[in-house]
Amino acid sequence: MPTRPTDADEVDAVALRRISMELAALSESGLAYCRDHFDIGRFHRIGELADELLQLAGVEGLRPYDPAIASVAGYTTPKLDVRGGLFDEAGRVLLVREVADDGRWTLPGGWCDVLESPRRAIEREVLEEAGVTVEAGHLAAVVDRELWPHQPAHDRHSYKLFFVCTPTGAVDTGYTSDETSGLGWFAVDDLPELSVDRVVPGQIRLLHEHWRRPGPAHVD
């Protein structure tokens, strides 16, 4: 189940990051509609302050505030990440090893592309990262990344959609791609080191339960 940080310093960093994310969204949304020259300048200043707060919160990998990008970002909404759960007859889950995350493991998936449905997105991602053609047959969960113990923190709000997928082709555990260096089947109660930026154990258990007993999607 989702957990929240308890350490005082970490809570302060989380609070700063959340405030900065909301300010950045207000800045970009204001810039999408504002036409007054002076108000445009004020919204850009809000965006700069949001960027400074993110730096104080210790968020890594930040790009400098770019007024040109902020001006065309439009009304800000959460980003959408999709993840697919494939299970064998023994109930083991198929995970891929990430090239870009020190060889840690995750469910195949990634960001939805523009003009791409979530179902199509996860079927594409599983094919690209695991080399398996699948049908995304069941939406198991829609979760707010902020409510789960993902690390590191992102500078943008995102939702994660988890699909139970059915293979329509063979699974080759020797498959590799530009993003993944291998794949394997793992017992849900004996998982390898996960890329917790992308998935946490509780989400895999949630998917496994929906694979065993399909029901209404979990939403938080």
Side-chain angles (χ1 to χ4, degrees):
M1 291 300 293
T3 60
R4 293 181 179 274
T6 56
D7 179 80
D9 292 335
E10 188 176 1
V11 169
D12 288 344
V14 169
L16 282 175
R17 184 177 60 85
R18 291 177 67 88
I19 291 169
S20 68
M21 288 168 62
E22 186 169 354
L23 286 174
L26 289 171
S27 170
E28 292 177 357
S29 298
L31 289 167
Y33 296 106
C34 184
R35 297 296 178 265
D36 180 83
H37 172 75
F38 294 104
D39 283 343
I40 288 173
R42 294 183 183 101
F43 281 121
H44 278 305
R45 181 56 184 152
I46 292 173
E48 292 170 352
L49 291 171
D51 188 64
E52 291 180 21
L53 282 176
L54 281 175
Q55 295 179 45
L56 289 174
V59 177
E60 300 176 356
L62 293 175
R63 293 174 294 180
Y65 180 78
D66 189 332
I69 293 176
S71 295
V72 298
Y75 187 87
T76 302
T77 60
K79 294 173 68 67
L80 193 62
D81 175 75
V82 291
R83 296 286 155 181
L86 286 73
F87 299 90
D88 65 8
E89 293 181 354
R92 297 181 301 173
V93 64
L94 185 70
L95 300 178
V96 296
R97 187 194 294 268
E98 285 283 342
V99 170
D101 198 17
D102 298 327
R104 297 184 179 93
W105 296 81
T106 184
L107 295 168
W111 299 118
C112 282
D113 288 339
V114 173
L115 300 181
E116 183 178 46
S117 71
R119 182 186 300 273
R120 175 71 187 102
I122 191 54
E123 291 174 349
R124 171 185 56 79
E125 287 283 355
V126 174
L127 180 60
E128 290 176 356
E129 295 190 355
V132 185
T133 56
V134 299
E135 290 183 355
H138 177 63
L139 177 64
V142 179
V143 307
D144 182 344
R145 188 183 189 273
E146 292 293 305
L147 300 180
W148 293 78
H150 291 280
Q151 293 294 332
H154 284 178
D155 63 341
R156 297 286 169 164
H157 191 195
S158 62
Y159 295 157
K160 301 176 74 68
L161 274 59
F162 292 88
F163 290 88
V164 176
C165 297
T166 303
T168 59
V171 176
D172 176 10
T173 55
Y175 178 85
T176 62
S177 72
D178 291 340
E179 301 176 73
T180 56
S181 61
L183 57 152
W185 296 101
F186 297 92
V188 173
D189 58 358
D190 188 22
L191 296 170
E193 185 178 9
L194 296 177
S195 171
V196 293
D197 181 9
R198 297 165 177 82
V199 68
V200 296
Q203 294 163 346
I204 294 176
R205 291 193 295 269
L206 189 157
L207 260 176
H208 183 255
E209 184 61 26
H210 273 260
W211 170 76
R212 293 178 61 242
R213 287 190 290 269
H218 171 93
V219 180
D220 62 26

PDB file of all heavy atoms in Angstrom, residues 168-195:
ATOM      1  N   THR A 168       0.512 -12.863 -26.873  1.00  0.00           N
ATOM      2  CA  THR A 168      -0.002 -13.503 -28.097  1.00  0.00           C
ATOM      3  C   THR A 168       1.146 -14.063 -28.926  1.00  0.00           C
ATOM      4  O   THR A 168       0.928 -14.563 -30.029  1.00  0.00           O
ATOM      5  CB  THR A 168      -0.813 -12.493 -28.926  1.00  0.00           C
ATOM      6  OG1 THR A 168       0.021 -11.384 -29.272  1.00  0.00           O
ATOM      7  CG2 THR A 168      -2.017 -11.993 -28.147  1.00  0.00           C
ATOM      8  N   GLY A 169       2.355 -13.961 -28.385  1.00  0.00           N
ATOM      9  CA  GLY A 169       3.528 -14.508 -29.041  1.00  0.00           C
ATOM     10  C   GLY A 169       4.454 -15.118 -28.010  1.00  0.00           C
ATOM     11  O   GLY A 169       4.195 -15.071 -26.797  1.00  0.00           O
ATOM     12  N   ALA A 170       5.549 -15.674 -28.469  1.00  0.00           N
ATOM     13  CA  ALA A 170       6.493 -16.352 -27.583  1.00  0.00           C
ATOM     14  C   ALA A 170       7.285 -15.345 -26.745  1.00  0.00           C
ATOM     15  O   ALA A 170       7.514 -14.210 -27.157  1.00  0.00           O
ATOM     16  CB  ALA A 170       7.458 -17.205 -28.399  1.00  0.00           C
ATOM     17  N   VAL A 171       7.703 -15.786 -25.554  1.00  0.00           N
ATOM     18  CA  VAL A 171       8.547 -14.982 -24.673  1.00  0.00           C
ATOM     19  C   VAL A 171       9.971 -15.517 -24.745  1.00  0.00           C
ATOM     20  O   VAL A 171      10.220 -16.679 -24.416  1.00  0.00           O
ATOM     21  CB  VAL A 171       8.032 -15.024 -23.220  1.00  0.00           C
ATOM     22  CG1 VAL A 171       8.985 -14.247 -22.315  1.00  0.00           C
ATOM     23  CG2 VAL A 171       6.616 -14.471 -23.131  1.00  0.00           C
ATOM     24  N   ASP A 172      10.904 -14.675 -25.175  1.00  0.00           N
ATOM     25  CA  ASP A 172      12.306 -15.043 -25.289  1.00  0.00           C
ATOM     26  C   ASP A 172      13.084 -14.308 -24.209  1.00  0.00           C
ATOM     27  O   ASP A 172      13.303 -13.096 -24.298  1.00  0.00           O
ATOM     28  CB  ASP A 172      12.826 -14.676 -26.681  1.00  0.00           C
ATOM     29  CG  ASP A 172      14.318 -14.944 -26.850  1.00  0.00           C
ATOM     30  OD1 ASP A 172      14.913 -15.590 -25.956  1.00  0.00           O
ATOM     31  OD2 ASP A 172      14.895 -14.498 -27.864  1.00  0.00           O
ATOM     32  N   THR A 173      13.509 -15.012 -23.163  1.00  0.00           N
ATOM     33  CA  THR A 173      14.213 -14.365 -22.053  1.00  0.00           C
ATOM     34  C   THR A 173      15.618 -13.902 -22.436  1.00  0.00           C
ATOM     35  O   THR A 173      16.285 -13.254 -21.641  1.00  0.00           O
ATOM     36  CB  THR A 173      14.301 -15.312 -20.839  1.00  0.00           C
ATOM     37  OG1 THR A 173      14.895 -16.542 -21.238  1.00  0.00           O
ATOM     38  CG2 THR A 173      12.910 -15.570 -20.258  1.00  0.00           C
ATOM     39  N   GLY A 174      16.045 -14.204 -23.652  1.00  0.00           N
ATOM     40  CA  GLY A 174      17.324 -13.699 -24.137  1.00  0.00           C
ATOM     41  C   GLY A 174      17.200 -12.396 -24.902  1.00  0.00           C
ATOM     42  O   GLY A 174      18.197 -11.854 -25.390  1.00  0.00           O
ATOM     43  N   TYR A 175      16.000 -11.861 -24.958  1.00  0.00           N
ATOM     44  CA  TYR A 175      15.751 -10.642 -25.730  1.00  0.00           C
ATOM     45  C   TYR A 175      16.409  -9.431 -25.072  1.00  0.00           C
ATOM     46  O   TYR A 175      16.402  -9.284 -23.847  1.00  0.00           O
ATOM     47  CB  TYR A 175      14.245 -10.408 -25.849  1.00  0.00           C
ATOM     48  CG  TYR A 175      13.860  -9.136 -26.587  1.00  0.00           C
ATOM     49  CD1 TYR A 175      13.770  -9.108 -27.973  1.00  0.00           C
ATOM     50  CD2 TYR A 175      13.604  -7.962 -25.881  1.00  0.00           C
ATOM     51  CE1 TYR A 175      13.423  -7.953 -28.650  1.00  0.00           C
ATOM     52  CE2 TYR A 175      13.249  -6.792 -26.552  1.00  0.00           C
ATOM     53  CZ  TYR A 175      13.161  -6.792 -27.930  1.00  0.00           C
ATOM     54  OH  TYR A 175      12.817  -5.647 -28.591  1.00  0.00           O
ATOM     55  N   THR A 176      16.981  -8.547 -25.891  1.00  0.00           N
ATOM     56  CA  THR A 176      17.511  -7.272 -25.415  1.00  0.00           C
ATOM     57  C   THR A 176      17.058  -6.172 -26.362  1.00  0.00           C
ATOM     58  O   THR A 176      16.654  -6.432 -27.499  1.00  0.00           O
ATOM     59  CB  THR A 176      19.052  -7.280 -25.346  1.00  0.00           C
ATOM     60  OG1 THR A 176      19.582  -7.488 -26.659  1.00  0.00           O
ATOM     61  CG2 THR A 176      19.549  -8.358 -24.401  1.00  0.00           C
ATOM     62  N   SER A 177      17.133  -4.930 -25.876  1.00  0.00           N
ATOM     63  CA  SER A 177      16.762  -3.772 -26.692  1.00  0.00           C
ATOM     64  C   SER A 177      17.651  -2.605 -26.307  1.00  0.00           C
ATOM     65  O   SER A 177      18.542  -2.730 -25.453  1.00  0.00           O
ATOM     66  CB  SER A 177      15.287  -3.415 -26.471  1.00  0.00           C
ATOM     67  OG  SER A 177      15.107  -2.830 -25.189  1.00  0.00           O
ATOM     68  N   ASP A 178      17.403  -1.447 -26.913  1.00  0.00           N
ATOM     69  CA  ASP A 178      18.177  -0.253 -26.560  1.00  0.00           C
ATOM     70  C   ASP A 178      17.949   0.145 -25.110  1.00  0.00           C
ATOM     71  O   ASP A 178      18.797   0.788 -24.490  1.00  0.00           O
ATOM     72  CB  ASP A 178      17.789   0.918 -27.468  1.00  0.00           C
ATOM     73  CG  ASP A 178      18.237   0.723 -28.910  1.00  0.00           C
ATOM     74  OD1 ASP A 178      19.142  -0.098 -29.129  1.00  0.00           O
ATOM     75  OD2 ASP A 178      17.678   1.386 -29.802  1.00  0.00           O
ATOM     76  N   GLU A 179      16.779  -0.215 -24.551  1.00  0.00           N
ATOM     77  CA  GLU A 179      16.423   0.190 -23.193  1.00  0.00           C
ATOM     78  C   GLU A 179      16.601  -0.909 -22.163  1.00  0.00           C
ATOM     79  O   GLU A 179      16.691  -0.633 -20.969  1.00  0.00           O
ATOM     80  CB  GLU A 179      14.973   0.673 -23.161  1.00  0.00           C
ATOM     81  CG  GLU A 179      14.676   1.848 -24.068  1.00  0.00           C
ATOM     82  CD  GLU A 179      13.210   2.206 -24.063  1.00  0.00           C
ATOM     83  OE1 GLU A 179      12.748   2.756 -23.051  1.00  0.00           O
ATOM     84  OE2 GLU A 179      12.523   1.923 -25.064  1.00  0.00           O
ATOM     85  N   THR A 180      16.618  -2.167 -22.615  1.00  0.00           N
ATOM     86  CA  THR A 180      16.643  -3.295 -21.684  1.00  0.00           C
ATOM     87  C   THR A 180      17.755  -4.276 -22.062  1.00  0.00           C
ATOM     88  O   THR A 180      18.036  -4.496 -23.240  1.00  0.00           O
ATOM     89  CB  THR A 180      15.298  -4.039 -21.683  1.00  0.00           C
ATOM     90  OG1 THR A 180      14.964  -4.458 -23.020  1.00  0.00           O
ATOM     91  CG2 THR A 180      14.188  -3.118 -21.182  1.00  0.00           C
ATOM     92  N   SER A 181      18.361  -4.875 -21.031  1.00  0.00           N
ATOM     93  CA  SER A 181      19.465  -5.801 -21.263  1.00  0.00           C
ATOM     94  C   SER A 181      19.083  -7.244 -20.980  1.00  0.00           C
ATOM     95  O   SER A 181      19.943  -8.122 -20.946  1.00  0.00           O
ATOM     96  CB  SER A 181      20.664  -5.414 -20.388  1.00  0.00           C
ATOM     97  OG  SER A 181      20.315  -5.484 -19.009  1.00  0.00           O
ATOM     98  N   GLY A 182      17.807  -7.500 -20.759  1.00  0.00           N
ATOM     99  CA  GLY A 182      17.349  -8.864 -20.518  1.00  0.00           C
ATOM    100  C   GLY A 182      15.986  -8.867 -19.869  1.00  0.00           C
ATOM    101  O   GLY A 182      15.447  -7.819 -19.504  1.00  0.00           O
ATOM    102  N   LEU A 183      15.406 -10.054 -19.764  1.00  0.00           N
ATOM    103  CA  LEU A 183      14.132 -10.204 -19.072  1.00  0.00           C
ATOM    104  C   LEU A 183      14.091 -11.563 -18.408  1.00  0.00           C
ATOM    105  O   LEU A 183      14.840 -12.476 -18.741  1.00  0.00           O
ATOM    106  CB  LEU A 183      12.948 -10.013 -20.017  1.00  0.00           C
ATOM    107  CG  LEU A 183      12.808 -10.892 -21.259  1.00  0.00           C
ATOM    108  CD1 LEU A 183      11.351 -11.041 -21.645  1.00  0.00           C
ATOM    109  CD2 LEU A 183      13.548 -10.252 -22.434  1.00  0.00           C
ATOM    110  N   GLY A 184      13.201 -11.677 -17.406  1.00  0.00           N
ATOM    111  CA  GLY A 184      13.093 -12.935 -16.686  1.00  0.00           C
ATOM    112  C   GLY A 184      11.803 -13.031 -15.912  1.00  0.00           C
ATOM    113  O   GLY A 184      11.104 -12.030 -15.692  1.00  0.00           O
ATOM    114  N   TRP A 185      11.483 -14.268 -15.513  1.00  0.00           N
ATOM    115  CA  TRP A 185      10.290 -14.545 -14.719  1.00  0.00           C
ATOM    116  C   TRP A 185      10.674 -14.587 -13.242  1.00  0.00           C
ATOM    117  O   TRP A 185      11.660 -15.225 -12.872  1.00  0.00           O
ATOM    118  CB  TRP A 185       9.676 -15.880 -15.124  1.00  0.00           C
ATOM    119  CG  TRP A 185       9.168 -15.945 -16.543  1.00  0.00           C
ATOM    120  CD1 TRP A 185       9.794 -16.525 -17.610  1.00  0.00           C
ATOM    121  CD2 TRP A 185       7.936 -15.425 -17.028  1.00  0.00           C
ATOM    122  NE1 TRP A 185       9.015 -16.403 -18.733  1.00  0.00           N
ATOM    123  CE2 TRP A 185       7.865 -15.726 -18.412  1.00  0.00           C
ATOM    124  CE3 TRP A 185       6.877 -14.729 -16.437  1.00  0.00           C
ATOM    125  CZ2 TRP A 185       6.786 -15.357 -19.208  1.00  0.00           C
ATOM    126  CZ3 TRP A 185       5.801 -14.363 -17.227  1.00  0.00           C
ATOM    127  CH2 TRP A 185       5.751 -14.676 -18.588  1.00  0.00           C
ATOM    128  N   PHE A 186       9.889 -13.939 -12.403  1.00  0.00           N
ATOM    129  CA  PHE A 186      10.208 -13.877 -10.975  1.00  0.00           C
ATOM    130  C   PHE A 186       8.955 -14.102 -10.140  1.00  0.00           C
ATOM    131  O   PHE A 186       7.863 -13.614 -10.485  1.00  0.00           O
ATOM    132  CB  PHE A 186      10.799 -12.505 -10.611  1.00  0.00           C
ATOM    133  CG  PHE A 186      12.098 -12.205 -11.297  1.00  0.00           C
ATOM    134  CD1 PHE A 186      12.101 -11.527 -12.509  1.00  0.00           C
ATOM    135  CD2 PHE A 186      13.302 -12.601 -10.738  1.00  0.00           C
ATOM    136  CE1 PHE A 186      13.294 -11.246 -13.156  1.00  0.00           C
ATOM    137  CE2 PHE A 186      14.501 -12.332 -11.374  1.00  0.00           C
ATOM    138  CZ  PHE A 186      14.494 -11.650 -12.587  1.00  0.00           C
ATOM    139  N   ALA A 187       9.133 -14.843  -9.034  1.00  0.00           N
ATOM    140  CA  ALA A 187       8.037 -14.999  -8.085  1.00  0.00           C
ATOM    141  C   ALA A 187       7.723 -13.645  -7.457  1.00  0.00           C
ATOM    142  O   ALA A 187       8.633 -12.876  -7.135  1.00  0.00           O
ATOM    143  CB  ALA A 187       8.406 -16.011  -7.008  1.00  0.00           C
ATOM    144  N   VAL A 188       6.456 -13.359  -7.271  1.00  0.00           N
ATOM    145  CA  VAL A 188       6.043 -12.064  -6.750  1.00  0.00           C
ATOM    146  C   VAL A 188       6.560 -11.837  -5.331  1.00  0.00           C
ATOM    147  O   VAL A 188       6.806 -10.699  -4.929  1.00  0.00           O
ATOM    148  CB  VAL A 188       4.509 -11.935  -6.819  1.00  0.00           C
ATOM    149  CG1 VAL A 188       4.006 -10.673  -6.131  1.00  0.00           C
ATOM    150  CG2 VAL A 188       4.051 -11.950  -8.273  1.00  0.00           C
ATOM    151  N   ASP A 189       6.754 -12.909  -4.564  1.00  0.00           N
ATOM    152  CA  ASP A 189       7.273 -12.773  -3.195  1.00  0.00           C
ATOM    153  C   ASP A 189       8.795 -12.927  -3.136  1.00  0.00           C
ATOM    154  O   ASP A 189       9.373 -13.025  -2.057  1.00  0.00           O
ATOM    155  CB  ASP A 189       6.605 -13.782  -2.262  1.00  0.00           C
ATOM    156  CG  ASP A 189       6.793 -15.215  -2.713  1.00  0.00           C
ATOM    157  OD1 ASP A 189       7.415 -15.439  -3.782  1.00  0.00           O
ATOM    158  OD2 ASP A 189       6.309 -16.128  -2.018  1.00  0.00           O
ATOM    159  N   ASP A 190       9.458 -12.943  -4.295  1.00  0.00           N
ATOM    160  CA  ASP A 190      10.920 -13.043  -4.335  1.00  0.00           C
ATOM    161  C   ASP A 190      11.436 -12.226  -5.524  1.00  0.00           C
ATOM    162  O   ASP A 190      12.039 -12.763  -6.454  1.00  0.00           O
ATOM    163  CB  ASP A 190      11.347 -14.503  -4.452  1.00  0.00           C
ATOM    164  CG  ASP A 190      12.858 -14.680  -4.293  1.00  0.00           C
ATOM    165  OD1 ASP A 190      13.504 -13.791  -3.697  1.00  0.00           O
ATOM    166  OD2 ASP A 190      13.387 -15.693  -4.787  1.00  0.00           O
ATOM    167  N   LEU A 191      11.213 -10.925  -5.457  1.00  0.00           N
ATOM    168  CA  LEU A 191      11.544 -10.042  -6.565  1.00  0.00           C
ATOM    169  C   LEU A 191      13.018  -9.639  -6.522  1.00  0.00           C
ATOM    170  O   LEU A 191      13.616  -9.548  -5.447  1.00  0.00           O
ATOM    171  CB  LEU A 191      10.674  -8.782  -6.514  1.00  0.00           C
ATOM    172  CG  LEU A 191       9.165  -9.004  -6.690  1.00  0.00           C
ATOM    173  CD1 LEU A 191       8.410  -7.715  -6.365  1.00  0.00           C
ATOM    174  CD2 LEU A 191       8.854  -9.471  -8.108  1.00  0.00           C
ATOM    175  N   PRO A 192      13.609  -9.346  -7.686  1.00  0.00           N
ATOM    176  CA  PRO A 192      14.984  -8.830  -7.711  1.00  0.00           C
ATOM    177  C   PRO A 192      14.990  -7.354  -7.321  1.00  0.00           C
ATOM    178  O   PRO A 192      13.940  -6.766  -7.021  1.00  0.00           O
ATOM    179  CB  PRO A 192      15.384  -9.018  -9.178  1.00  0.00           C
ATOM    180  CG  PRO A 192      14.089  -8.832  -9.919  1.00  0.00           C
ATOM    181  CD  PRO A 192      13.032  -9.465  -9.033  1.00  0.00           C
ATOM    182  N   GLU A 193      16.152  -6.730  -7.334  1.00  0.00           N
ATOM    183  CA  GLU A 193      16.239  -5.301  -7.022  1.00  0.00           C
ATOM    184  C   GLU A 193      15.493  -4.514  -8.098  1.00  0.00           C
ATOM    185  O   GLU A 193      15.816  -4.603  -9.285  1.00  0.00           O
ATOM    186  CB  GLU A 193      17.693  -4.854  -6.951  1.00  0.00           C
ATOM    187  CG  GLU A 193      17.839  -3.399  -6.513  1.00  0.00           C
ATOM    188  CD  GLU A 193      19.279  -2.958  -6.394  1.00  0.00           C
ATOM    189  OE1 GLU A 193      20.170  -3.723  -6.821  1.00  0.00           O
ATOM    190  OE2 GLU A 193      19.516  -1.853  -5.878  1.00  0.00           O
ATOM    191  N   LEU A 194      14.506  -3.751  -7.675  1.00  0.00           N
ATOM    192  CA  LEU A 194      13.636  -3.053  -8.619  1.00  0.00           C
ATOM    193  C   LEU A 194      14.130  -1.631  -8.887  1.00  0.00           C
ATOM    194  O   LEU A 194      14.737  -0.995  -8.032  1.00  0.00           O
ATOM    195  CB  LEU A 194      12.213  -2.986  -8.084  1.00  0.00           C
ATOM    196  CG  LEU A 194      11.469  -4.305  -7.902  1.00  0.00           C
ATOM    197  CD1 LEU A 194      10.082  -4.052  -7.298  1.00  0.00           C
ATOM    198  CD2 LEU A 194      11.344  -5.063  -9.218  1.00  0.00           C
ATOM    199  N   SER A 195      13.809  -1.149 -10.072  1.00  0.00           N
ATOM    200  CA  SER A 195      13.954   0.262 -10.394  1.00  0.00           C
ATOM    201  C   SER A 195      12.751   0.977  -9.793  1.00  0.00           C
ATOM    202  O   SER A 195      11.697   1.080 -10.413  1.00  0.00           O
ATOM    203  CB  SER A 195      13.996   0.471 -11.916  1.00  0.00           C
ATOM    204  OG  SER A 195      13.919   1.841 -12.231  1.00  0.00           O
TER     205      SER A 195
END
